[in-house]
């Protein structure tokens, strides 16, 4: 292990990274709160400002992936599809198998200039998560409880508001509803068997209601659906803790573009289209497991300096006073000050660990498999 790789695994450095992210996030959230006064007078200005504020926060996580861990993302797609990236409103369908699948999606958003305006249909519990949920609230993210009777009006209102969004947006949908685990997969395939649907090997049965509703509400706004199938070289199982420890992963993403005009408008036919899409995604994963690659031409878009420069800005702004304060505490020799500062570090490390826990597969809560959850669309 080289010196740089060793340093990346040290808790103190990781704590400083977390400190910059958390404190900058709180500052950004406060500024976002102040921008609310603009909404009644100039909604589009409010949106443009918050798009850039959210970029300043999310790009720090992308920086960890691209610059800290050096993870590489290779796209398997054609040139015509790549030329459309960042020039249209789209719906993204991504498989939900990995702890960092959202980060791989975000790094593609960043490289094509839509990170700040990226959207997601998120579970309501995330609204309560500091920084993540708060930032999403100001970005007009649509939160749902995954109970259609309760979500109907909220989802329709939220999606309707996005029709005049001034920045090109990529709207991410995890149609499987929850992250893949063997237990959830077994339950999902029982549902597929009961409904007479083909079984999937690498995915959960997609929940069609979110997709059909989003497509219907954003008809005339989004021009295409991007199907993204993600996997990692050498059977790697990436984690956010691995990224923080500087571990490098090799991500491969098969991307297919479907114009909205080619997708059936009828809800039942649209649902069938989605089921067929997931059968194709399963075939792509089977090909990857056998061959180690996806079919088609490849492109590796270069990482941009903006994520690194943004992090260095916040690190310079926040770490200098923190280090000066820490030195002052040590020099003072005051047991009370030293104890107080130590307590602060412990609380900060616990808070950062809790944020990381939101992404962990073994800790992601889900009602998948409950009687109510089994009633999939």
């Amino acid at each position: 292990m080289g010196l740089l790789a060793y340093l990346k695994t040290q808790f103190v450095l990781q704590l400083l990274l977390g400190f910059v992210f958390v404190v900058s996030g709180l500052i950004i959230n406060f500024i976002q709160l102040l921008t609310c006064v603009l909404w009644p007078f100039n909604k589009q200005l409010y949106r443009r400002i918050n798009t850039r504020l959210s970029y300043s926060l999310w790009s720090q996580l992308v920086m960890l992936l691209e610059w800290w861990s050096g993870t590489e993302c290779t796209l398997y797609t054609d040139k015509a599809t790549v030329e459309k990236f960042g020039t249209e409103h789209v719906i993204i369908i991504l498989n939900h198998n990995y702890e960092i699948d959202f980060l791989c999606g975000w790094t593609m958003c960043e490289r094509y200039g839509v990170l700040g305006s990226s959207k997601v249909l998120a579970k309501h519990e995330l609204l309560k998560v500091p920084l993540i949920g708060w930032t999403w609230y100001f970005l007009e993210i649509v939160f749902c409880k995954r109970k259609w009777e309760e979500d109907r009006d909220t989802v329709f209102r939220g999606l309707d508001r996005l029709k005049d969004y001034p920045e090109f947006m990529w709207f991410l949908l995890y149609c499987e509803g929850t992250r893949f685990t063997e237990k959830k997969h077994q339950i999902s395939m029982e549902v597929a068997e009961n409904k007479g649907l083909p079984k999937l090997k690498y995915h959960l049965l997609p929940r069609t209601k979110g997709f059909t509703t989003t497509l219907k509400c954003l008809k005339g706004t989004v021009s295409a659906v991007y199907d993204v199938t993600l996997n990692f070289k050498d059977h790697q199982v990436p984690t956010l803790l691995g990224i923080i420890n500087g571990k490098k992963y090799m991500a491969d993403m098969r991307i297919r573009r479907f114009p909205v005009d080619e997708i059936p408008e009828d809800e039942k036919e649209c649902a069938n289209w989605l089921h067929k899409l997931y059968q194709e995604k399963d075939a792509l994963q089977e090909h990857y497991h056998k061959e180690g690659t996806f079919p088609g031409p490849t492109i590796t878009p270069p990482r941009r300096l903006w994520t690194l420069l943004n992090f260095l800005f916040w690190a310079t702004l926040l770490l200098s006073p923190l280090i000066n304060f820490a030195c002052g505490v040590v020099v003072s020799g005051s047991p009370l000050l030293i104890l107080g500062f130590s307590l602060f570090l412990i609380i900060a490390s616990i808070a950062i660990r809790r944020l990381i826990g939101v992404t962990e597969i073994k800790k992601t809560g889900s009602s998948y498999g409950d009687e109510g959850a089994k009633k999939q669309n």
Side-chain angles (χ1 to χ4, degrees), residues 228-278:
V228 182
T229 305
L230 170 68
N231 212 318
F232 290 84
K233 293 288 189 189
D234 303 322
H235 306 288
Q236 293 175 309
V237 183
T239 64
L240 188 54
L241 277 177
I243 294 294
I244 292 172
N245 283 319
K247 186 174 181 180
K248 181 176 181 176
Y249 300 106
M250 305 293 288
D252 288 333
M253 307 171 79
R254 177 71 170 101
I255 303 177
R256 299 181 295 164
R257 181 182 183 274
F258 298 92
V260 167
D261 295 340
E262 297 179 4
I263 302 173
E265 292 188 18
D266 178 77
E267 183 174 352
K268 185 176 181 179
E269 291 182 7
C270 186
N272 291 335
W273 181 90
L274 184 65
H275 282 300
K276 183 176 181 294
L277 181 77
Y278 267 79

Side-chain angles (χ1 to χ4, degrees), residues 62 71 90 148 181 186 242 313 319 322 328 332 334:
V62 174
T71 292
V90 299
W148 183 241
T181 65
Q186 181 181 357
F313 164 76
L319 290 183
L322 175 67
S332 72
S334 169

